[in-house]
């Protein structure tokens, strides 16, 4: 049986797997915790991290475990430890064409895989990865991507992404969307640049990303606020959908023989049998109706989110930053 669709987010918080004292705090503060066996754990601490993963139990529905990449000495040991836990969602770093067979849980079913496309090969393999039934989401990372290209920086001096990173971000989002899978945006490594984080998260939400990965608890509230639509956006979405509902009623009247033009509060000037509406001076057709529906879905998700906790720690090393 294939894994269920990915629904976690919008704020996914990394936590080093060798710091079990922080596991519950990370889960309390974010929508999901990413317990990291890879970059956040020093080579000499890998065994301790796996032991902590096994010994500290959290809500498995809100935990993602990032294992080490396929082909590394640590990968098989990570999977052996994972099999002794209730966790069934795995983040696979540096995912690319070498990822062939499904990662199987002890019951024989596949783990739900978040494929992290963070190398040149991984970005090019994104469509194939997204098409796999065991892959529930695609994520991307800028720093490993640039490293795989032998580059030195993913961003300009003003903090904006270089073109290659922007291309990779878009390519992963498009591959995920084409396959009907969720896309997860990369972390923002500048811990105190909350304005930059906010701008990127707002763009992520507007573009169609389902979530953003965070390296610090203070980033969670910023990401949540960025993904939550404003009151004006919600009101506009309701107005658009109300206009569509009114036109549907008019179409029903038309089908009953009462022909004519539907001139209502929201759809003034649009013929009943037209494919478009005019709402507040803007043409509205089927894609904009879907935009409005997405806004209301995000508003509902925001209403359902748990209360935010207090931030802790101040360094990437302390909080399991993503490189």
């Amino acid at each position: 049986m294939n894994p269920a669709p990915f629904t976690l987010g919008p704020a996914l918080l990394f936590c080093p797997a060798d710091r079990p004292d922080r596991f519950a705090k990370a889960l309390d503060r974010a929508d999901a915790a990413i317990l990291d066996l890879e970059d956040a754990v020093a080579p000499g601490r890998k065994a301790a991290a796996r032991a902590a993963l096994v010994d500290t139990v959290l809500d498995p529905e809100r935990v993602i475990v990032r294992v080490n990449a396929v082909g590394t000495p640590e990968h098989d040991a990570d999977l052996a430890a994972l099999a002794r836990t209730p966790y069934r969602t795995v983040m696979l770093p540096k995912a690319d064409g070498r990822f062939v067979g499904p990662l199987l849980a002890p019951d024989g079913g596949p783990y739900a895989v978040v494929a992290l496309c963070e190398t040149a090969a991984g970005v090019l393999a994104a469509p194939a990865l997204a098409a796999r039934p065991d892959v529930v989401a695609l994520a991307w990372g800028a720093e490993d991507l640039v490293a795989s290209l032998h580059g030195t920086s993913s961003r300009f001096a003003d903090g904006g992404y270089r073109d290659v990173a922007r291309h990779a971000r878009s390519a992963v989002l498009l591959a995920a969307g084409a396959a009907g899978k969720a896309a997860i945006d990369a972390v923002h490594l500048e811990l105190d640049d909350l304005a930059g984080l906010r701008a990127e998260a707002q763009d992520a939400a507007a573009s169609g990303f389902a979530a953003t990965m965070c390296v610090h608890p203070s980033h969670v509230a910023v990401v949540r606020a960025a993904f939550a639509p404003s009151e004006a956006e919600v009101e506009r979405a309701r107005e658009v959908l109300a206009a569509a509902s009114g036109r549907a009623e008019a179409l029903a009247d038309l089908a009953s023989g009462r022909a004519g033009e539907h001139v209502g509060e929201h759809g003034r000037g649009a013929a009943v049998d037209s494919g478009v509406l005019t709402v507040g001076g803007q043409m509205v057709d089927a894609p904009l109706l879907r935009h409005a529906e997405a806004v209301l879905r995000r508003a509902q998700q925001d209403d359902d989110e748990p209360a935010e906790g207090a931030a802790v720690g101040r360094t990437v090393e302390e909080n399991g930053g993503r490189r």
Side-chain angles (χ1 to χ4, degrees), residues 291-304:
H291 293 182
E293 291 166 352
V295 167
L296 295 187
R297 281 196 300 272
R298 282 167 47 202
Q300 180 60 44
Q301 291 168 355
D302 184 54
D303 290 341
D304 293 340

Side-chain angles (χ1 to χ4, degrees), residues 14-18 34-46 49 65-69 72 74 78 91-94 116 118-119 141-145 147 187 189 215 316-323:
F14 276 102
C15 181
D18 63 343
I34 305 173
L35 304 184
D36 191 7
L37 291 166
E38 196 213 13
D39 284 355
V41 179
R45 295 283 299 168
K46 299 287 189 182
V65 178
R66 183 166 71 175
V67 298
N68 284 272
T72 64
E74 304 293 346
D78 289 348
M91 179 174 285
L92 189 67
K94 302 173 181 65
L116 186 48
E118 53 182 346
T119 63
E143 306 313 317
D144 278 305
L145 169 66
V187 299
L189 290 179
V215 294
V316 172
E317 290 76 12
E318 288 176 343
N319 291 285
R322 176 72 190 124
R323 288 289 189 264

